[in-house]
Amino acid sequence: MNISIISVGKLKEKYLKQGIDEYLKRLSSYAKVEIIEVPDEKAPEILSETEMEQVKEKEGERILAKIHPDTHVIALAIQGKMKTSEELADSIDKLGTYGKSKIAFVIGGSLGLSETVMKRANESLSFSKMTFPHQLMRLVLVEQVYRAFRIMRGEPYHK
């Protein structure tokens, strides 16, 4: 299985990089996982609604350019469906069973994801009704993907 995590912005925090690297190393025996960073759109702190949509669209174009046509896309969004770790594991397992070996998880920038990206997504996933920094979401996501593979294989870890 090939899993991409497409994320807006560059990860700068050393502690987050270390955590992500650890889970990527653990995941390497289960799947090929790559993190793809697309540049965030530079914008002033205060934006109008229209300017926000323009920023999201530009970031969205960069995201979509990294997605192959045969990839199953899971957008991370507050309004997405919440799943337990077991349900996420079951979803990933079923995708593999039905021939979807390419999965892309998409994490938007600080303003979220564009409507275009949401329309391309096959599903949207929410980790909480709370807002998290998109950099931290990478670590949480990669840990949950690792947990999902452990659950699928019936290996100890998940509690």
Side-chain angles (χ1 to χ4, degrees):
M1 186 164 281
N2 293 299
I3 297 174
S4 300
I5 298 172
I6 303 169
S7 185
V8 173
K10 199 134 187 77
L11 189 61
K12 296 175 183 92
E13 292 81 0
K14 188 177 178 184
Y15 68 96
L16 291 175
K17 283 182 182 179
Q18 289 172 330
I20 290 167
D21 288 345
E22 176 62 29
Y23 283 110
L24 289 175
K25 186 172 77 176
R26 292 180 189 188
L27 269 164
S28 65
S29 58
Y30 300 106
K32 181 177 180 276
V33 182
E34 69 172 329
I35 299 206
I36 300 167
E37 292 180 337
V38 298
D40 54 346
E41 187 64 21
K42 302 295 177 231
E45 195 68 30
I46 299 171
L47 299 167
S48 69
E49 248 344 279
T50 305
E51 289 169 325
M52 280 191 236
E53 289 307 313
Q54 289 170 341
V55 166
K56 290 195 296 188
E57 278 304 318
K58 286 178 184 172
E59 291 174 348
E61 289 168 10
R62 294 176 189 140
I63 291 167
L64 293 171
K66 302 292 182 183
I67 299 173
H68 296 280
D70 61 341
T71 300
H72 184 88
V73 178
I74 302 170
L76 271 60
I78 289 175
Q79 67 273 20
K81 183 179 189 297
M82 285 198 220
K83 294 183 179 190
T84 64
S85 296
E86 295 85 358
E87 289 169 334
L88 179 61
D90 188 53
S91 294
I92 293 171
D93 195 33
K94 282 181 178 159
L95 287 169
T97 301
Y98 294 108
K100 291 285 185 181
S101 62
K102 292 181 187 169
I103 302 171
F105 289 92
V106 179
I107 303 170
S110 58
L111 299 175
L113 292 166
S114 70
E115 194 59 38
T116 315
V117 172
M118 294 305 292
K119 284 181 179 156
R120 169 59 181 91
N122 299 93
E123 59 182 297
S124 61
L125 177 65
S126 174
F127 278 75
S128 173
K129 290 187 186 297
M130 290 187 262
T131 302
F132 292 101
H134 54 282
Q135 298 92 338
L136 178 61
M137 233 18 256
R138 286 192 214 183
L139 177 58
V140 174
L141 174 62
V142 78
E143 187 280 333
Q144 284 298 304
V145 171
Y146 172 69
R147 183 180 296 265
F149 276 98
R150 298 288 293 192
I151 292 169
M152 287 187 288
R153 302 289 197 295
E155 297 171 354
Y157 174 75
H158 147 71
K159 299 215 185 304

